[in-house]
Amino acid sequence: MVTWTALEEELRHLAGSVPDPELPVLTLEELGVLRGVEVLAPGRVKVRLTPTYTGCPALETMSTDIERVLLDHGMTEVSVVTVLAPAWSTDDISAEGRRKLTEFGIAPPRSRDAASPAAGPVPLALSVRCPHCGSTDTELLSRFSSTACKALRRCVTCREPFDHFKEL
C-alpha cells in the first residue's frame, strides 16, 4: 500500500489534471499514465510517468506541462522521469476516461474481463461499439488514425466514421 503525504496528494492531483496533448478531453490521471509523485525535499518533486507506448511523441509535451503546473504551484525543482515497467495498458484508463472518450466520439478500448487472465493476447476479432449510435456493426477502415494508438472505424448502421482507442 502506498502512503502519500498531503502535499504529494495535492501535487499528484495537479499533475494528474494536466490534459493529454493528443486527447485533450482526457487528463493524464484518467489516461492512467501518471504513476506517482514524490516530494524529495522542500520545493523538489519527482513525477513518474509511463508513456502509452515506447517512443510516444507526446511524452515530452506531457513532461513539460507537468513541470509548468508544479512550478507554478511553488515547486522550485521538478523532475519528470519515464517509467517503462510496468508497461501502460488500456486497462489503466479510468472509467471516467472511458466515459469521456465515448462522449467525445472515440470508442474506448475494451476492458479485460475480470474472469480473464491479467496478461495474454488481445483478441483479433473485436466488437467495437459505435460511440454515436451504439451499434456494434462497425468496420475497420484503417489500423491507424490520428495517432498510432487509435484505429479508424465506420459504423455500418449510422455510417459515421470514428476513432477507436486500440487495446494494448
Side-chain angles (χ1 to χ4, degrees):
M1 183 172 149
V2 177
T3 305
W4 294 305
T5 66
L7 178 58
E8 286 170 332
E9 278 286 341
E10 181 181 2
L11 296 175
R12 182 180 175 88
H13 174 74
L14 288 166
S17 68
V18 169
D20 177 76
E22 292 179 338
L23 289 166
V25 68
L26 295 183
T27 65
L28 299 182
E29 181 70 30
E30 292 162 343
L31 186 57
V33 297
L34 182 66
R35 297 299 191 189
V37 173
E38 180 183 0
V39 175
L40 304 173
R44 291 183 52 223
V45 64
K46 177 170 78 173
V47 178
R48 291 185 313 282
L49 196 61
T50 298
T52 54
Y53 63 95
T54 304
C56 175
L59 190 59
E60 185 177 334
T61 302
M62 288 183 214
S63 297
T64 301
D65 291 348
I66 288 171
E67 288 173 12
R68 181 184 38 78
V69 165
L70 297 183
L71 289 171
D72 288 350
H73 191 70
M75 295 296 107
T76 55
E77 184 182 326
V78 178
S79 168
V80 179
V81 297
T82 302
V83 178
L84 298 178
W88 179 86
S89 161
T90 50
D91 288 337
D92 294 329
I93 300 174
S94 70
E96 178 66 5
R98 291 170 190 281
R99 184 195 66 74
K100 286 182 175 181
L101 284 171
T102 301
E103 190 175 271
F104 193 65
I106 298 173
R110 296 181 305 168
S111 296
R112 285 197 178 107
D113 183 75
S116 71
V122 174
L124 294 178
L126 299 176
S127 174
V128 177
R129 185 172 303 281
C130 173
H132 304 293
C133 74
S135 171
T136 56
D137 190 7
T138 64
E139 60 187 356
L140 180 67
L141 296 179
S142 175
R143 290 180 17 176
F144 298 99
S145 184
S146 57
T147 61
C149 56
K150 293 184 289 198
L152 181 61
R153 299 187 72 90
R154 178 175 45 221
C155 178
V156 174
T157 304
C158 73
R159 307 298 295 164
E160 288 292 324
F162 63 92
D163 282 339
H164 169 235
F165 206 113
K166 296 184 280 190
E167 289 80 10
L168 294 176

